[in-house]
Amino acid sequence: MAVDSAPQMQKSADPNARLTDTLCTSLRRRQIVGSLNVALATAALIQNIVRSARYNTIDELLALIKAVGRKLTEANPKELAAANIIRRILRLIREEYRAAAAAHVSSAPNSIPSTPLMGPSTPGINAPLDHYLSAAQSATVDAQYFPTHIQMSRQTSLSNFVAMRHSRAQMERSGALSGGTAEGYSANTTNLFATPNGNGHGRGSSGMATPRASVDSDEFMKHSAKLKPLLIQAIEEVVGELETTHEDVAKGAREHIHSSEIILTMGHSRTVEAFLKQAYKDRKFTVVVAESAPSYLGHSLASSLSASGIPTLLIPDSSIHALLPRVTKVILGAHSVLANGGLFALSGSLACALAAKTHSKPVVVTTGQFKFAPAWNLYHEYGAVDFQGPGAVIGEQGKGGGGGMEGVEVVDPYYDYIRPELVNLFVTNEGDHPPSYIYRLIKEAYDDEDVEI
């Protein structure tokens, strides 16, 4: 018994394990709700793990973060924001590591340019230059194709300076970090120090092998602890981006809402709230808010908009279809967005989107890109939706009007799945995109190896 309890005691003594279990419990019990709250909690957990974890290689750190991501996903598979943040952080860690490795390789003292030194062409490749050229021509060719040691040192120093001073984004645009073709590096983090041909030699356009100084990866790993502040700073940038999501989405509000419009929304999305308040600074319009029973979150949104001076009308959900002919635009929030352009939104949003489709009204979804998930809705429309207890619908002892009779099944989902053909535009913190382009944004945001955590 003492032997079996030792691993459990050691596990409970790990502060990162305790924090992970606490967050998993909160997700399982729905003590943390909302994509933004889940994303912030996940980013804070990973930041603490990166700060305090012990690892010898970058692959060990990536494996540790992936293990945490799997636990969070198992705790609540429907909270896709947790896995999205894990994927985003994994990509940032690889980018920081590759940038540091590229700078380390470029600044190696014995590095030699991989471009071969071109000599005279055939016949007689080993013949002296003055055998075919005059003295003046020989000097010209010698200066052009055979740089002196001082010139090579200057070129190497300049390349080192550029490699050290370039930011990660600049290095990616220049091709130094895009798969390794420009510098001969492998895309895998474990092969960052591999030579192009695997034998420590590069090969130029003339087919001549050129010696390339091999860089000891162990020497680089001795200083890898210096990367930890950079990784923590990268995660802090993600947290800062999450905290300003509402403001960033609202920046383009005046381009989508015009004066004298009647806007229909439902529930209480903080992104939609910030979007409408920002638009009202330049445009004068009216907002119709559906109360979104049984949660009645529309009441709080209507109160907030009315307090800001925006003309607001609160209606029951049953009046949505009747008022849509007078509505000019429907604006909804999103819980998560899938790769096919569909989304999960507050329960009742599907009825609103279907009514808008019937009356040919545009549906605009405001959301942050951290909600974009590399997943497809492969189930029935109700198969991937969470359900809550029917108590809020049927009331106590079945006197709420929704049940109480034997054999009656009451369905009360948290979210509705809205098909991509019901949405006209996604307004995000990174710009406006149609539903058909969502898969491309997801492809650019996450690495392929992290699609399945």
Side-chain angles (χ1 to χ4, degrees):
M1 295 297 294
V3 177
D4 295 337
S5 61
Q8 297 179 358
M9 294 177 61
Q10 183 178 2
K11 181 179 179 181
S12 61
D14 185 4
N16 292 329
R18 291 200 304 268
L19 291 175
T20 303
D21 294 338
T22 301
L23 181 56
C24 290
T25 302
S26 300
L27 292 175
R28 194 177 297 110
R29 297 178 178 177
R30 286 192 170 276
Q31 296 174 344
I32 300 180
V33 294
S35 298
L36 182 59
N37 295 332
V38 172
L40 289 173
T42 303
L45 173 63
I46 300 302
Q47 185 178 20
N48 188 78
I49 291 176
V50 172
R51 181 183 292 110
S52 59
R54 295 181 179 180
Y55 55 92
N56 295 323
T57 63
I58 199 68
D59 290 331
E60 293 181 4
L61 177 61
L62 297 177
L64 178 61
I65 296 177
K66 278 192 173 184
V68 174
R70 285 191 292 269
K71 289 183 178 180
L72 298 180
T73 303
E74 293 173 358
N76 193 340
K78 307 303 173 62
E79 286 291 351
L80 303 180
N84 294 341
I85 294 300
I86 295 292
R87 296 184 183 98
R88 176 79 180 278
I89 292 176
L90 289 174
R91 182 182 179 90
L92 290 178
I93 290 177
R94 292 190 184 96
E95 289 178 353
E96 293 289 349
Y97 188 83
R98 289 168 183 166
H104 180 78
V105 172
S106 300
S107 60
N110 296 326
S111 61
I112 300 177
S114 59
T115 304
L117 302 180
M118 299 177 60
S121 57
T122 55
I125 192 171
N126 295 324
L129 287 177
D130 55 359
H131 182 77
Y132 301 103
L133 305 175
S134 63
Q137 292 174 332
S138 176
T140 302
V141 173
D142 186 72
Q144 181 177 0
Y145 294 106
F146 293 86
T148 63
H149 176 72
I150 298 177
Q151 292 174 339
M152 291 179 61
S153 300
R154 290 177 179 175
Q155 293 174 359
T156 305
S157 300
L158 180 59
S159 63
N160 292 342
F161 174 80
V162 173
M164 292 294 292
R165 299 296 295 177
H166 264 29
S167 64
R168 180 175 68 250
Q170 291 173 330
M171 296 183 71
E172 287 181 345
R173 287 194 296 269
S174 64
L177 303 179
S178 59
T181 55
E183 292 291 335
Y185 304 139
S186 172
N188 297 328
T189 56
T190 55
N191 296 327
L192 284 172
F193 303 96
T195 53
N197 298 325
N199 54 4
H201 293 77
R203 190 167 296 274
S205 58
S206 62
M208 299 175 59
T210 304
R212 184 182 180 91
S214 61
V215 181
D216 188 4
S217 60
D218 295 335
E219 181 66 21
F220 176 74
M221 289 308 302
K222 292 179 181 178
H223 304 282
S224 62
K226 299 179 181 179
L227 292 178
K228 186 171 292 187
L230 298 178
L231 302 182
I232 296 175
Q233 182 180 1
I235 299 176
E236 289 178 351
E237 293 177 359
V238 174
V239 174
E241 180 181 339
L242 292 174
E243 293 176 345
T244 59
T245 298
H246 305 319
E247 292 77 8
D248 295 338
V249 174
K251 289 180 180 179
R254 66 188 308 272
E255 301 177 2
H256 299 280
I257 298 179
H258 307 285
S259 298
S260 303
E261 279 196 316
I262 300 178
I263 308 299
L264 174 64
T265 186
M266 66 182 312
H268 190 177
S269 170
R270 286 180 289 176
T271 308
V272 174
E273 179 183 359
F275 191 81
L276 295 175
K277 289 182 178 179
Q278 180 65 30
Y280 197 74
K281 296 179 180 179
D282 303 310
R283 307 280 193 264
K284 303 305 176 184
F285 52 88
T286 303
V287 179
V288 179
V289 182
E291 61 181 2
S292 309
S295 62
Y296 298 102
L297 293 176
H299 289 244
S300 59
L301 177 61
S303 300
S304 178
L305 296 178
S306 179
S308 300
I310 302 177
T312 306
L313 176 63
L314 182 66
I315 64 172
D317 298 340
S318 57
S319 301
I320 291 178
H321 200 284
L323 286 178
L324 260 174
R326 301 188 60 183
V327 171
T328 58
K329 189 183 279 88
V330 177
I331 299 180
L332 300 175
H335 175 69
S336 59
V337 181
L338 305 183
N340 62 343
L343 68 141
F344 291 121
L346 181 68
S347 178
S349 300
L350 177 59
C352 187
L354 288 172
K357 183 73 171 180
T358 302
H359 293 279
S360 300
K361 304 297 181 180
V363 177
V364 178
V365 177
T366 59
T367 180
Q369 283 198 192
F370 72 93
K371 298 181 182 181
F372 290 4
W376 300 78
N377 189 48
L378 304 178
Y379 309 98
H380 186 269
E381 293 185 6
Y382 292 105
V385 182
D386 271 342
F387 294 95
Q388 55 186 338
V393 177
I394 63 178
E396 296 181 1
Q397 299 178 355
K399 297 180 180 179
M405 299 179 60
E406 185 177 355
V408 175
E409 182 179 358
V410 179
V411 178
D412 187 13
Y414 278 105
Y415 307 106
D416 282 341
Y417 172 68
I418 301 178
R419 300 187 301 273
E421 58 267 21
L422 300 177
V423 180
N424 296 92
L425 185 67
F426 284 94
V427 179
T428 71
N429 53 325
E430 299 292 340
D432 309 334
H433 310 285
S436 59
Y437 194 70
I438 298 300
Y439 81 96
R440 184 62 182 175
L441 298 175
I442 294 175
K443 181 74 173 179
E444 296 174 354
Y446 311 126
D447 290 335
D448 293 340
E449 54 193 298
D450 298 329
V451 173
E452 297 292 338
I453 295 182

